[in-house]
Amino acid sequence: MEAMFKYFKNKKYDTTQRDFVFKNFVYFDNVLADTAKNRITGRIKFFDMIFPKIFRYADSVGIENLDLISTSFFKDHTSFYKHFDKDGELNEVRPFTLTFYDKRNPKKEPLGALLFEPKTHKLLAWSIINQGGYWYFLTFNLL
């Protein structure tokens, strides 16, 4: 993630960078291997629409203020961690997640989670938790 943010520092994402992003940062392989060209085209358009939102969000908080740590660190934050606990719907992917928070907040409240593809370690999905505790997933690969 750090390499991705460094690469895009003072740059805006555009479609000419897509192949580089897929090669280096975002797991998109199974989408590109789809046999239906219209699904591939639709998913790429969706990716091009949502990918820049990562940078807008990080810029709004300040990339220097965000930190990533193991999701297990938030076991005591029950409303967040219940999704990753042994009975939670995200338990199986917990080993492949990191949670981000604002370092300026002494309570270390989770802001969202990143899911990484186990073999390539590329970004598979990211989520943001709003104030009401609702999750918004931006999934690049599982549409």
Side-chain angles (χ1 to χ4, degrees), residues 7-126:
Y7 177 80
F8 281 102
K9 186 174 181 154
N10 300 320
K11 288 185 196 177
K12 289 191 179 217
Y13 171 79
D14 65 51
T15 58
T16 63
Q17 299 156 323
R18 185 186 311 124
D19 290 340
F20 180 79
V21 169
F22 291 166
K23 180 180 177 193
N24 294 287
F25 305 121
V26 173
Y27 184 79
F28 212 72
D29 297 353
N30 72 339
V31 172
L32 298 175
D34 195 328
T35 56
K37 297 296 179 195
N38 61 335
R39 278 197 303 256
I40 293 172
T41 302
R43 290 175 180 172
I44 287 174
K45 283 182 184 178
F46 182 72
F47 175 84
D48 289 338
M49 181 182 71
I50 65 170
F51 185 69
K53 294 179 190 247
I54 293 174
F55 304 102
R56 277 189 243 137
Y57 178 79
D59 288 344
S60 72
V61 175
I63 190 66
E64 68 281 354
N65 297 320
L66 290 174
D67 201 5
L68 283 170
I69 58 176
S70 169
T71 299
S72 296
F73 178 83
F74 292 97
K75 283 182 181 178
D76 293 335
H77 195 288
T78 54
S79 64
F80 171 75
Y81 195 76
K82 69 181 178 186
H83 303 285
F84 298 96
D85 210 349
K86 64 181 177 182
D87 296 324
E89 68 275 14
L90 298 173
N91 178 266
E92 289 184 32
V93 298
R94 182 177 32 87
F96 311 111
T97 64
L98 292 174
T99 296
F100 57 97
Y101 67 96
D102 188 336
K103 293 188 282 190
R104 299 170 298 181
N105 182 341
K107 293 182 180 180
K108 293 188 177 173
E109 293 288 323
L111 298 173
L114 302 172
L115 173 62
F116 295 90
E117 197 278 328
K119 292 181 182 147
T120 64
H121 306 289
K122 292 179 185 178
L123 184 62
L124 188 60
W126 73 294

